[in-house]
Amino acid sequence: MNTVRQRKEMRNTGASEGHAAREGNVESGHKLPSGGTRRRLWETLSFTLGGTVALCVGVLTSVYLATLHENDLWFSNIKEVEREISFRTECGLYYSYYKQMLQAPSLMQGLHGLMYDNKTESMRTINLLQRMNIYQEVLLSILYRVLPIQTYLEPVYFYIYTLFGLQAIYVTALYTTSWLLSGTWLSGLLAAFWYVTNRIDTTRVEFTVPLRENWALPFFAVQTAAVTYFLRPNLQPLSERLALLAIFVSTFLFSLMWQFNQFVVLLQALVLFTLDSLDLLPALKASWLYGIQIAGLLLVCALQFLNSMILGSLLISFNLSVLTARRLQKTLNLKSDEHIFKFLKAKFGFGATRDFDANLYLCEEAFGLLPLNTFHRLSHTLLFSAYLSVLCVTGTAALAGALHNLSDSTRRQPMGSVGKDAVSLRPATAYNFMHSVLFGLLALSTMRMKYLWTSHMCVFASFGLCSPETWELLLKAIRLYNPKRMCVMRYSVPILTLLYVCYKFWPEVMAELSELREFHDPDTVELMNWINSNTPRTAVFAGSMQLLAGVKLCTGRTLTNHPHFEDSSLRERTKAVYQIYAKRPAEHVHGLLRSFGTDYVILEDSICYERRHRPGCRLRDLLDLANGHTMDGPVQNDPDLKPADHPRFCEEIKRDLPPYTAFFTRVFQNKTFHVYKLSRNK
């Protein structure tokens, strides 16, 4: 609430906290039993209608995204190998473990195969449950085995429908958060509409189904809704305990399903710390949230067999330092996330780097700055304009509240007991404001993280348009405030916005649903079929990370490397395998590949003659830079780089000259791929 007057009126009318803002202008003289009964009846009807709308919007969004996926690939009509190839890069790797669990003779044998896996990385036995976030694949495979659905639902459909079903939870959670903040479910409806109409920037689930973020973000949205509810004042003890339980469960599930969990939750901890320091949050509730974050992450750490990347994370160190003034990070010597800090150091201009791993991230568009055309698309739906307006108003109130709290530090008052003319934000509003600001900064710096921000942008913008807090502050600033005008604005503006969005984008949505395409990748299908038919099951394949994930899924062959890049030894191995695209002699490349037990190597023309990235960011350029060789083409070379003594391996091997034919024999080729068998007697 914004003033002491409104809080008193809220208590006098006995209104629920969710509708406190709307009922703040009800006079105390209306406290008649019949009026109270009518009010409770209206609230019950409103809650029922709002809840029904939330569920319907969530389900419809799920069906909409599933239909787009089907229309884009004609998924129901293509072959099984084509379905699997459509799970590109790391998506295919994750899905392969679901497939592996289903093909195992028993659940215990399937789990044993994951815990003692020797096919994901050749000549190594690794615990996949420790290294990767694949418990969701394990759970789905168990459910598919035990539920009576095998006769009418294929395993792949059970998998993708689960992901699209989580989108229903995602949208419902966004809807609920906006409703809790504003006090009206109209706000939630507007948030859901904005989420759908800005689909390009709010989700990519329809074309990257198994990606970890598509599993995790719905639970992060649930956690945000639960935190928003928990931060409301005067909760009943039972409600508070249930909110804490929801926060813990959602934090745990979010952390279990995404390898970047610790960095996201760390930002959330920084939000809590900032607001706690400025007395914009109750200290006790902030401490509870710190503890839940630690408990959730430690439970994930235990399930991942004491994963050192989690145990030594900055999040645990930060939260423990806040709660106990101790830092765990200093006691551990970790390298699992070393590449991330090298990437951040180079990204923000703290010195150029020739580190191969860091440059792989720096040169990927997903890890670059957020493109400016994103804001144009978001403005097209009025979302970004509304968001900026709400952010400015709320930011002004947050700054004023923080300055008031700091200036009044010598005469500390209880939380919320500010002077009559003081500007104050409710803790839940302050939390969501800081949440939006920090995740906005993250999205601006790293495009892949924009999905954390844009979905919350829908929530925050819709809350602002429907919130009495926002309109009261704005109308008072221009000296036009009165309760009736505020009520008119908080309902008329979002309704007009909804009508505009529906009128403007309904034809586009219908056109999307009617557009039919088909998956078509004959070269990759031919390659996978050849591997299945012409190589032994125990064969070891080397190649690019992205392609090998598909090889693992479609053929079950053993790999030398894969796209899950969070292990330091795997990064070193990947760099060694990628020398097939560097300027290295045949015997050197052969020795490297054979050291990993490689039987076949797959070369891709799209990498060897790459044009997708700018000069200096092509894979062959990164390898030349890391090897100290001058790069090809019109690119600026540092003075200390030297010309290589040998031609580029991926180009020279195709000439079938003796130095290469002595070590490599071509066994397959098409327009895209060249497969060579390595000699064993060299």
Side-chain angles (χ1 to χ4, degrees):
M1 301 309 298
N2 294 322
T3 66
V4 174
R5 180 187 298 272
Q6 286 184 324
R7 287 181 179 153
K8 287 181 178 178
E9 289 171 351
M10 175 186 70
R11 287 193 286 267
N12 288 338
T13 58
S16 67
E17 290 174 350
H19 295 75
R22 186 172 65 233
E23 310 221 345
N25 60 348
V26 179
E27 297 181 3
S28 60
H30 292 173
K31 292 195 302 175
L32 297 174
S34 59
T37 302
R38 286 197 298 270
R39 191 176 303 113
R40 286 192 294 271
L41 178 61
W42 168 250
E43 289 173 359
T44 301
L45 290 174
S46 178
F47 178 81
T48 303
L49 179 60
T52 303
V53 171
L55 293 175
C56 291
V57 168
V59 171
L60 287 174
T61 303
S62 175
V63 173
Y64 168 64
L65 293 171
T67 304
L68 290 179
H69 177 263
E70 168 64 25
N71 290 355
D72 191 49
L73 300 175
W74 203 3
F75 201 74
S76 60
N77 191 64
I78 59 179
K79 299 175 182 177
E80 185 67 19
V81 65
E82 293 175 309
R83 291 176 178 175
E84 294 177 348
I85 292 172
S86 72
F87 297 142
R88 300 289 188 181
T89 65
E90 61 190 285
C91 298
L93 183 68
Y94 297 132
Y95 182 78
S96 72
Y97 300 123
Y98 169 72
K99 180 180 177 181
Q100 180 178 325
M101 280 290 294
L102 291 179
Q103 291 177 342
S106 68
L107 287 176
M108 293 306 299
Q109 287 177 280
L111 287 171
H112 185 273
L114 295 180
M115 293 171 62
Y116 300 94
D117 178 271
N118 56 12
K119 298 183 76 66
T120 301
E121 295 178 17
S122 60
M123 302 182 71
R124 285 182 185 168
T125 298
I126 61 174
N127 186 344
L128 293 170
L129 297 178
Q130 179 187 44
R131 283 271 297 274
M132 301 185 189
N133 299 75
I134 58 169
Y135 271 100
Q136 49 267 52
E137 277 74 23
V138 173
L139 177 61
L140 275 195
S141 64
I142 293 173
L143 290 175
Y144 188 80
R145 281 174 175 266
V146 300
L147 294 176
I149 57 176
Q150 292 90 343
T151 55
Y152 58 88
L153 189 63
E154 297 176 62
V156 66
Y157 276 105
F158 182 64
Y159 188 92
I160 65 172
Y161 286 166
T162 300
L163 266 300
F164 290 125
L166 283 177
Q167 286 295 303
I169 296 176
Y170 194 7
V171 173
T172 303
L174 298 176
Y175 180 110
T176 303
T177 304
S178 189
W179 185 1
L180 288 169
L181 287 169
S182 67
T184 171
W185 57 263
L186 179 63
S187 171
L189 184 61
L190 181 56
F193 269 61
W194 264 332
Y195 179 86
V196 172
T197 54
N198 292 279
R199 173 183 56 80
I200 293 175
D201 296 300
T202 55
T203 183
R204 50 178 174 169
V205 66
E206 76 273 16
F207 61 89
T208 58
V209 179
L211 207 61
R212 301 300 84 179
E213 68 190 49
N214 296 328
W215 285 97
L217 291 185
F219 296 105
F220 188 67
V222 171
Q223 188 232 42
T224 302
V227 170
T228 300
Y229 181 77
F230 176 68
L231 293 177
R232 299 170 76 181
N234 306 319
L235 282 182
Q236 296 296 322
L238 178 60
S239 298
E240 196 169 82
R241 286 194 291 270
L242 290 175
L244 285 171
L245 178 62
I247 294 169
F248 173 74
V249 172
S250 55
T251 301
F252 164 69
L253 291 175
F254 167 74
S255 301
L256 187 66
M257 294 183 177
W258 198 16
Q259 66 268 31
F260 294 136
N261 59 69
Q262 54 175 301
F263 305 105
V264 175
V265 183
L266 174 62
L267 282 182
Q268 195 176 50
L270 291 173
V271 171
L272 295 173
F273 179 75
T274 302
L275 297 176
D276 187 17
S277 301
L278 297 174
D279 286 332
L280 294 175
L281 284 187
L284 181 60
K285 289 191 174 184
S287 297
W288 270 108
L289 294 174
Y290 288 135
I292 284 176
Q293 288 180 338
I294 294 176
L297 210 58
L298 288 178
L299 182 55
V300 172
C301 181
L303 285 175
Q304 291 194 289
F305 299 86
L306 301 181
N307 186 307
S308 61
M309 187 174 175
I310 297 176
L311 192 60
S313 66
L314 285 175
L315 170 67
I316 292 182
S317 295
F318 178 80
N319 282 9
L320 285 177
S321 68
V322 172
L323 295 173
T324 67
R326 294 189 333 187
R327 293 185 180 274
L328 183 61
Q329 181 86 9
K330 294 180 178 179
T331 65
L332 295 172
N333 181 23
L334 301 174
K335 294 185 178 180
S336 296
D337 52 2
E338 181 183 31
H339 63 301
I340 295 175
F341 294 106
K342 289 181 180 178
F343 158 71
L344 292 174
K345 181 180 177 182
K347 183 178 181 66
F348 294 111
F350 297 104
T353 181
R354 292 183 181 176
D355 182 78
F356 177 74
D357 304 326
N359 281 328
L360 269 181
Y361 283 100
L362 285 169
C363 288
E364 280 299 321
E365 183 183 5
F367 290 91
L369 299 176
L370 190 66
L372 292 178
N373 62 3
T374 304
F375 302 107
H376 175 73
R377 289 193 300 270
L378 296 174
S379 299
H380 194 49
T381 63
L382 303 182
L383 171 59
F384 191 61
S385 305
Y387 173 76
L388 282 182
S389 302
V390 175
L391 199 68
C392 290
V393 174
T394 312
T396 302
L399 180 61
L403 292 175
H404 177 273
N405 290 340
L406 292 174
S407 64
D408 199 38
S409 59
T410 56
R411 281 190 307 152
R412 184 68 63 199
Q413 299 179 9
M415 178 72 59
S417 299
V418 296
K420 180 177 179 180
D421 297 324
V423 178
S424 176
L425 287 181
R426 292 174 297 158
T429 305
Y431 170 79
N432 279 274
F433 166 73
M434 282 301 300
H435 177 110
S436 188
V437 168
L438 282 190
F439 282 95
L441 294 175
L442 177 66
L444 290 172
S445 66
T446 307
M447 188 183 73
R448 181 174 179 176
M449 296 300 176
K450 73 175 180 179
Y451 302 103
L452 285 162
W453 181 44
T454 50
S455 58
H456 194 265
M457 185 189 294
C458 299
V459 170
F460 201 72
S462 60
F463 141 72
L465 294 189
C466 298
S467 170
E469 284 182 289
T470 306
W471 287 113
E472 182 177 347
L473 287 168
L474 191 59
L475 292 173
K476 282 184 175 180
I478 58 177
R479 302 181 184 280
L480 291 176
Y481 173 77
N482 67 55
K484 289 185 179 179
R485 185 175 287 122
M486 180 192 71
C487 188
V488 169
M489 296 300 292
R490 72 180 291 232
Y491 288 111
S492 61
V493 172
I495 288 174
L496 289 173
T497 305
L498 268 173
L499 291 175
Y500 169 80
V501 171
C502 291
Y503 171 77
K504 184 78 174 178
F505 295 99
W506 181 256
E508 292 185 17
V509 171
M510 291 297 100
E512 274 188 321
L513 291 174
S514 62
E515 186 177 0
L516 302 178
R517 300 191 192 94
E518 182 180 0
F519 176 84
H520 185 70
D521 189 356
D523 289 349
T524 306
V525 171
E526 184 184 11
L527 171 66
M528 299 304 172
N529 288 335
W530 181 86
I531 293 174
N532 275 319
S533 303
N534 296 278
T535 65
R537 294 283 300 174
T538 56
V540 178
F541 277 79
S544 70
M545 297 184 290
Q546 296 81 2
L547 179 62
L548 289 186
V551 171
K552 172 77 167 62
L553 172 58
C554 298
T555 71
R557 302 305 190 262
T558 304
L559 315 180
T560 57
N561 52 302
H562 54 80
H564 194 83
F565 216 48
E566 273 65 50
D567 180 73
S568 59
S569 60
L570 176 65
R571 293 194 294 271
E572 294 172 1
R573 176 183 281 221
T574 299
K575 181 181 176 182
V577 170
Y578 277 9
Q579 297 304 311
I580 58 179
Y581 297 109
K583 298 171 182 176
R584 295 293 193 186
E587 60 272 18
H588 178 78
V589 174
H590 181 269
L592 285 174
L593 295 179
R594 284 303 300 158
S595 69
F596 306 130
T598 307
D599 298 310
Y600 298 88
V601 59
I602 307 173
L603 296 174
E604 301 170 62
D605 287 345
S606 59
I607 297 178
C608 189
Y609 307 107
E610 180 184 1
R611 295 182 180 179
R612 183 171 69 92
H613 291 98
R614 68 182 187 275
C617 261
R618 300 166 297 188
L619 179 60
R620 63 178 186 265
D621 295 336
L622 302 184
L623 290 164
D624 290 342
L625 195 63
N627 294 337
H629 298 153
T630 54
M631 295 175 282
D632 298 334
V635 59
Q636 185 69 36
N637 285 294
D638 292 336
D640 61 325
L641 297 177
K642 299 178 181 180
D645 297 329
H646 302 277
R648 195 169 303 281
F649 176 85
C650 64
E651 297 175 354
E652 199 69 12
I653 192 175
K654 295 170 187 174
R655 299 176 60 189
D656 293 328
L657 297 176
Y660 294 87
T661 55
F663 297 98
F664 301 92
T665 303
R666 185 182 306 173
V667 291
F668 172 85
Q669 73 176 83
N670 59 23
K671 291 184 295 182
T672 305
F673 305 106
H674 302 261
V675 182
Y676 292 87
K677 185 174 182 180
L678 277 70
S679 61
R680 290 176 173 268
N681 56 349
K682 301 292 181 181

